[in-house]
Amino acid sequence: MIGRLNHVAIAVPDLEAASNQYRHALGAKVGAPQDEPDHGVTVVFIELPNTKIELLYPLGEGSPIQSFLDKNPSGGIHHVCYEVEDILAARDHLQSTGARVLGDGTPKIGAHGKPVLFLHPKDFNGCLVELEQV
Ligand code: CO
C-alpha cells in the first residue's frame, strides 16, 4: 500500500545552524524557512536525489515540536512520511488492523499542499508515521 519515502522530518533546536550544516557541511540543496501556523512549525525543506528532509522548528504557543524538543533537547527524528495513492482507503485499512490515526481521522492539508494523516507512534515501533496522498 505505501509507496515512496516522501520525507524524513527532523526536529532541530537551531533552524539556522541546522540549515547551514546541511547546506555547507553536507552540500545539500536547502530551501528557505516556511512558517506553517496550522501545524505549529517552521519548516526548511532539503531536496535529496531520492527523498526530502524536513527540518522542523517550533512556531507559536503549544507547538508539538516544542514538546518534542523539551524531551530531546539536541533534536531528533520526529517522523517519517510515506506516500499513498488514496489516503482515505489507507486510513480505513489501517484502522481495520487496529492502528490508531491521530486527531479525528480527517486528513489535513500538509506542508506540501496535499492531504496528510498521522499514525500513533506506539502502534509503529515508537515512530510517528505520516501518510501523504500523492
Ligand atoms: Co512531514
Side-chain angles (χ1 to χ4, degrees):
M1 179 176 70
I2 59 170
R4 291 176 64 247
L5 173 67
N6 185 273
H7 59 269
V8 175
I10 303 174
V12 301
D14 183 332
L15 193 55
E16 192 178 351
S19 298
N20 282 330
Q21 182 183 49
Y22 270 84
R23 187 178 288 119
H24 299 301
L26 291 170
K29 191 176 149 198
V30 177
Q34 296 178 27
D35 289 344
E36 305 280 348
D38 290 352
H39 298 271
V41 292
T42 300
V43 186
V44 166
F45 294 111
I46 300 168
E47 296 280 345
L48 304 184
N50 61 341
T51 190
K52 294 186 282 284
I53 303 293
E54 287 182 10
L55 304 180
L56 301 178
Y57 186 78
L59 175 68
E61 294 294 310
S63 168
I65 302 307
Q66 187 59 58
S67 48
F68 184 91
L69 286 172
D70 290 344
K71 288 179 218 137
N72 306 275
S74 54
I77 293 180
H78 183 265
H79 65 268
V80 294
C81 177
Y82 303 126
E83 296 180 355
V84 295
E85 285 185 11
D86 182 335
I87 201 162
L88 296 178
R91 176 198 64 192
D92 293 347
H93 170 71
L94 280 154
Q95 286 178 327
S96 79
T97 71
R100 287 169 287 177
V101 176
L102 299 189
D104 66 3
T106 307
K108 281 190 180 178
I109 297 304
H112 308 108
K114 299 192 171 143
V116 301
L117 282 174
F118 286 90
L119 306 174
H120 202 299
K122 289 208 168 119
D123 297 336
F124 291 91
N125 309 288
C127 183
L128 178 61
V129 173
E130 179 179 18
L131 299 178
E132 180 175 300
Q133 180 169 290
V134 292

